[in-house]
């Protein structure tokens, strides 16, 4: 029994320490960092002439000095209007392609909004240089040691169409005036995948060797949740051999800022930036030998610059010949089935790892697909989650039954345990010895009650991951006041759960005390479940266990509402299971140890 209590206490304290550190130390630090970054981005944003150069024989990206930067960032609208553009009218994305530099620097996801408010703005994934937080993709060629005019970020391309849409690619052309004609064909599918085919025709009299490249450049350190359970930042999958599956490499923005440059040689693979729900990934041709890089630079007083890029092998271009290179660009939402389809369709190495399934990949992904299937059958993600909980309970019922039987047997022994405690008092060594003898005599395993908790931990964590990382769960509504299962319960006792005429103030780190209805329900169910368990013999442990429902109520109060609802529902099912089993075994249900019966005093002998 002591092992069970120690396990629960260790779990509770570990979670409390981690969440306490996150709420009171890490979160304020992240908030201060974001404010500083926002100030820098508003004050100084580079123009098109102040961007990292393409990879090649120039080494690290050459960034401009502070004097080359503008004093004030333009609005996104002005930055877009500053250059000629080709409209992008996809089925699921809209935006434009910049004819200056041929960059894809304007991608909007109209299906996804910033918030659940009706007037919320759509997600802006890519943004042009000259505006706030530039984030763009560029393709091109570089040469090693040859004096060849090549297209750059300032090159003015000519387009054969005004609109790019599925089934209607756009061809860009540029003549360098030295006999090389560059052609770039850009197409987009019905979702989020661009195909970019680059061609170079040599109409001159001498051969030249060109190296294809692709880069994604991000200015300013983007805001991240900063939690250890989710990776946000540069990442890629690289293959040391052509027949390998590939190895995932993940870096935080701080990692790249500290190292300045990280390089990998790879056969194919992919490289990009990931956010919680969005991804920009560059994919070279399958099996192409590339040199991939993560780089960082920061001009004096300017915003941070991050770039991911890859450089392909040299292609010999003889007079009268043409060379060609094809790349893919994913720029959109990390939808699970879409990512899986692209991985299979285009043979993208381990593209499924773009979604951070975590260490419990083998459990998290099946749980997502189970919820997704039930959602399609029931029509509600919230109800699908509750239905999955019932299924999991049924699957593990045989083990849970044994555990609850053992706990019921422990509760039956409470009177005898109380007698031992009164008999041996402070002699803990003797009391433990007698307890072990009692367990052995009654054939009771005190550790058997740990099983439901041990089973619940990985399921809880896997569901937490699914609710937190899967975009399919984002903004999914439930009943009543829960409009987004991936967000915390919006109610608070501070304003009477919305009944009082004032808003809940921003309490900063103390916001942990502002809890809503569902966390309170969860705390009540946890309290009722613990009251059904055997009472710890140690008074100190009794106090700790009495506080655990309160502690967990406040700790989980700002977790995703779906997770709190799951925990409440799981506790309720456990209470029902345990109640039925205890009733069948004739065990008293209720809190506190059963008091030992006081032996009857012998009757007084009659006087003679």
């Amino acid at each position: 029994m002591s092992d069970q209590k120690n396990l629960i206490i260790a779990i509770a304290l570990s979670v409390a320490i981690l969440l306490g550190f996150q709420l009171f130390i890490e979160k304020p630090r992240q908030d201060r960092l974001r404010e500083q970054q926002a100030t820098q981005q508003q004050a100084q944003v580079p123009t098109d002439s102040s961007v990292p150069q393409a990879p090649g024989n120039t080494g690290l990206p050459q960034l401009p000095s502070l004097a080359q930067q503008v004093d004030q960032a333009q609005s996104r609208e002005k930055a877009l209007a500053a250059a000629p553009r080709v409209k992008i009218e996809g089925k699921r994305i809209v935006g434009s392609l910049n004819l200056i530099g041929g960059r894809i620097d304007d991608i909007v996801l109209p299906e996804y909004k910033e918030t659940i408010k009706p007037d919320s703005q759509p997600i802006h994934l890519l943004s042009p240089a000259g505006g706030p937080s530039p984030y763009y993709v560029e393709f091109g060629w570089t040469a090693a040691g040859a004096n060849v005019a090549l297209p750059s970020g300032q090159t003015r391309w000519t387009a054969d169409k005004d609109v790019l849409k599925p089934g209607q690619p756009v061809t860009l052309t540029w003549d360098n005036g030295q006999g090389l004609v560059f052609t770039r064909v850009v197409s987009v599918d019905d979702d989020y995948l661009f195909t970019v085919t680059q061609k170079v025709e040599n109409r001159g009299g001498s051969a030249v060797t060109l190296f294809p490249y692709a880069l994604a450049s991000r200015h300013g350190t983007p805001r991240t949740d900063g939690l250890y359970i989710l990776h946000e930042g540069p990442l890629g999958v690289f293959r040391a051999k052509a027949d390998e599956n590939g190895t995932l490499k993940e870096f935080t923005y701080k990692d790249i800022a500290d190292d300045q440059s990280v390089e990998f040689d790879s056969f194919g693979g992919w490289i990009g930036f990931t956010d919680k729900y969005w991804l920009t990934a560059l994919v070279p041709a399958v099996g192409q030998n590339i040199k991939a890089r993560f780089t960082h630079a920061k001009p004096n007083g300017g915003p941070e610059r991050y770039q991911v890029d890859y450089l392909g092998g040299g292609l010999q271009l003889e007079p009268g010949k043409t060379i060609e290179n094809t790349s893919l660009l994913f720029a959109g939402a990390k939808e699970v089935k879409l990512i899986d389809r692209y991985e299979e369709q285009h043979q993208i190495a381990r593209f499924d790892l773009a979604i951070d399934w975590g260490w419990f990949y083998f459990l998290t992904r099946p749980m997502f697909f189970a919820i997704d299937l039930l959602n399609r059958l029931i029509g509600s993600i919230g109800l699908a989650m509750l239905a999955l909980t019932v299924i999991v309970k049924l699957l593990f019922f045989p083990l849970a039954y044994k555990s609850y039987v053992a706990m019921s047997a422990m509760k039956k022994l409470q009177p005898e345990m109380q007698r031992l405690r009164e008999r041996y008092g402070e002699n803990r060594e003797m009391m433990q010895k007698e307890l072990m003898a009692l367990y052995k005599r009654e054939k009771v395993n005190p550790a058997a009650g740990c099983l439901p908790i041990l089973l619940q931990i990985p399921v809880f964590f896997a569901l937490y991951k699914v609710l937190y990382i899967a975009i399919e769960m984002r903004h999914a509504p439930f009943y009543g006041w829960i409009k987004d299962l991936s967000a915390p319960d919006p109610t608070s006792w501070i304003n009477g759960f919305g009944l009082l005429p004032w808003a809940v103030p921003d309490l900063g780190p103390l916001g942990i005390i502002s809890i809503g209805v569902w966390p309170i329900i969860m705390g009540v169910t946890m309290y009722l479940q613990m009251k059904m368990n055997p009472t710890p013999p140690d008074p100190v442990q009794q106090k700790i266990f009495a506080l655990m429902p309160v502690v967990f109520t406040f700790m989980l109060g700002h977790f995703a509402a779906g997770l709190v609802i799951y925990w409440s529902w799981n506790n309720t099912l456990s209470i029902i299971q345990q109640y039925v089993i205890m009733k069948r075994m004739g065990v008293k249900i209720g809190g506190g140890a059963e008091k030992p019966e006081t032996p009857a005093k012998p009757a007084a002998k009659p006087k003679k």
Side-chain angles (χ1 to χ4, degrees):
M1 187 65 185
S2 60
D3 292 341
Q4 175 189 355
K5 297 181 180 66
N6 291 336
L7 174 64
I8 298 175
I9 293 171
I11 293 172
L13 292 178
S14 299
V15 173
I17 291 172
L18 288 173
L19 292 180
F21 176 81
Q22 185 66 37
L23 288 171
F24 297 106
I25 298 177
E26 185 63 17
K27 186 177 184 300
R29 187 187 70 81
Q30 291 287 337
D31 291 340
R32 289 193 299 269
L33 180 62
R34 289 164 189 162
E35 292 175 2
Q36 294 171 1
Q37 293 161 357
T39 302
Q40 290 178 352
Q41 292 176 23
Q42 293 172 1
Q44 295 173 326
V45 177
T47 62
D48 275 358
S49 62
S50 60
V51 297
Q53 295 181 5
N57 63 335
T58 55
L60 295 179
Q62 301 299 309
L63 293 161
S65 64
L66 180 61
Q68 292 176 279
Q69 298 182 23
V70 295
D71 293 328
Q72 183 66 38
Q74 301 179 76
S75 67
R76 177 183 172 85
E77 291 72 21
K78 289 184 178 180
L80 291 173
R85 293 181 169 273
V86 172
K87 288 185 178 180
I88 299 175
E89 296 180 356
K91 292 186 177 180
R92 304 188 66 192
I93 60 175
V94 295
S96 61
L97 185 155
N98 192 343
L99 289 178
I100 303 298
R103 295 193 184 113
I104 299 176
D105 62 357
D106 175 27
I107 296 295
V108 180
L109 311 180
E111 293 180 339
Y112 294 99
K113 307 295 183 180
E114 294 284 353
T115 67
I116 59 176
K117 295 181 180 179
D119 59 347
S120 177
Q121 291 294 312
I123 295 296
H124 293 79
L125 181 58
L126 300 185
S127 297
S133 303
Y135 185 14
Y136 52 83
V137 174
E138 180 181 308
F139 299 87
W141 300 87
T142 187
N147 188 17
V148 181
L150 299 172
S152 68
Q154 292 76 47
T155 298
R156 173 64 158 85
W157 292 78
T158 301
D160 67 336
K161 298 182 184 68
D162 294 329
V163 179
L164 167 64
K165 60 177 65 175
Q168 181 179 301
V170 168
T171 300
L172 309 180
T173 56
W174 179 71
D175 192 326
N176 75 344
Q178 300 175 355
L180 297 182
V181 178
F182 294 83
T183 303
R184 187 177 301 168
V185 181
V186 183
S187 62
V188 64
D189 70 357
D190 292 340
D191 296 295
Y192 305 122
L193 195 68
F194 291 85
T195 301
V196 180
T197 301
Q198 300 188 92
K199 298 180 181 180
V200 185
E201 180 184 358
N202 189 350
R203 299 177 182 175
S206 58
V208 62
T209 300
L210 300 179
F211 299 77
Y213 74 84
L215 66 83
S217 183
R218 196 164 199 174
H219 298 192
T221 305
R223 177 177 177 176
T224 64
D225 287 353
L227 297 178
Y228 70 95
I229 67 163
L230 173 69
H231 173 70
E232 296 177 87
L235 81 169
V237 168
F238 308 108
R239 302 193 301 174
K241 297 180 181 179
D243 58 349
E244 287 185 351
N245 289 330
T247 302
L248 175 67
K249 299 293 182 181
E250 297 176 327
F251 300 91
T252 65
Y253 290 101
K254 185 179 183 303
D255 292 335
I256 303 302
D258 290 342
D259 295 336
Q260 298 300 308
S261 181
V262 181
E263 298 185 0
F264 295 94
D265 291 323
S266 178
F267 290 88
W270 56 273
I271 188 172
F273 292 107
T274 184
D275 299 309
K276 183 175 182 179
Y277 297 118
W278 329 113
L279 173 70
T280 300
L282 306 170
V283 186
V286 176
Q288 182 182 4
N289 189 8
I290 64 169
K291 185 176 291 292
R293 298 188 312 171
F294 302 91
T295 57
H296 164 271
K298 185 178 187 300
N300 294 332
E304 307 278 349
R305 315 284 183 81
Y306 304 90
Q307 182 167 295
V308 297
D309 56 51
Y310 69 82
L311 181 67
L315 299 177
Q316 183 75 13
L317 179 57
E318 301 292 341
K321 300 295 183 179
T322 300
I323 58 174
E324 178 179 319
N325 181 262
T326 299
S327 303
L328 301 177
L329 165 65
F330 178 93
K334 296 191 295 185
E335 299 170 358
V336 176
K337 293 182 179 179
L338 182 62
I339 293 288
D340 289 348
R341 176 163 64 83
Y342 282 148
E343 176 180 348
E344 181 179 359
Q345 181 179 349
H346 298 281
Q347 300 178 13
I348 306 175
R350 300 308 310 274
F351 201 41
D352 60 317
L353 297 181
I355 300 173
D356 187 3
W357 297 108
W359 292 348
F360 290 97
Y361 179 101
F362 63 92
L363 185 60
T364 311
R365 269 180 65 94
M367 179 162 289
F368 164 81
F369 285 110
I371 293 177
D372 181 68
L373 174 61
L374 291 170
N375 176 43
R376 284 186 275 117
L377 295 175
I378 300 174
S380 167
I381 287 181
L383 293 180
M385 180 181 62
L386 301 185
L388 178 62
T389 308
V390 174
I391 294 173
V392 172
K393 282 286 186 183
L394 292 175
L395 290 175
F396 288 108
F397 180 75
L399 295 176
Y401 180 81
K402 292 181 179 179
S403 176
Y404 289 134
V405 166
M407 293 177 68
S408 299
M410 286 292 298
K411 197 168 182 66
K412 269 186 160 184
L413 293 180
Q414 290 284 294
E416 187 63 30
M417 293 168 65
Q418 179 69 18
R419 291 191 188 97
L420 292 176
R421 187 161 54 248
E422 293 175 355
R423 179 177 180 181
Y424 294 103
E426 298 298 325
N427 191 346
R428 301 180 63 86
E429 182 178 350
M430 193 63 188
M431 186 175 71
Q432 286 294 326
K433 183 178 179 181
E434 290 297 325
L435 279 175
M436 292 300 106
L438 176 64
Y439 297 151
K440 185 175 181 180
R441 184 169 62 251
E442 298 295 332
K443 298 180 180 180
V444 172
N445 182 5
C450 297
L451 193 57
I453 299 173
L454 294 176
L455 290 175
Q456 184 173 334
I457 290 174
V459 175
F460 169 82
F461 185 76
L463 181 63
Y464 180 29
K465 286 284 287 188
V466 170
L467 285 172
Y468 194 77
I469 68 171
I471 193 171
E472 289 80 359
M473 309 300 166
R474 181 179 186 262
H475 295 175
F478 194 58
Y479 297 98
W481 59 94
I482 302 298
K483 307 300 181 182
D484 183 1
L485 285 170
S486 66
D489 187 326
T491 60
S492 174
W493 61 268
I494 294 179
N495 66 348
F497 308 108
L499 299 178
L500 300 178
W502 60 72
V504 179
D506 184 4
L507 301 176
L510 293 179
I512 191 174
I513 68 172
S514 177
I515 57 173
V517 175
W518 273 109
I520 293 175
I521 293 175
M522 187 277 297
V524 171
T525 60
M526 188 175 182
Y527 170 79
L528 293 176
Q529 186 179 18
M530 295 190 69
K531 292 292 285 184
M532 299 178 72
N533 295 337
T535 304
D538 187 356
V540 176
Q541 290 184 353
Q542 291 180 23
K543 294 178 181 179
I544 293 175
F545 272 62
L547 287 174
M548 280 183 63
V550 179
V551 173
F552 271 76
T553 297
F554 285 97
M555 284 198 310
L556 298 182
H558 294 270
F559 277 44
L563 192 69
V564 180
I565 293 171
Y566 155 76
W567 197 309
S568 304
W569 177 239
N570 185 72
N571 287 347
T572 302
L573 295 178
S574 298
I575 290 171
I576 295 172
Q577 280 185 338
Q578 195 167 351
Y579 177 85
V580 172
I581 293 171
M582 292 176 70
K583 287 289 287 185
R584 290 183 61 184
M585 294 188 64
V587 178
K588 178 183 176 181
I589 299 175
E594 298 182 19
K595 294 183 179 181
E597 298 177 0
T598 303
K601 294 182 179 180
K605 294 181 180 180
K607 294 182 179 179
K608 293 182 178 179

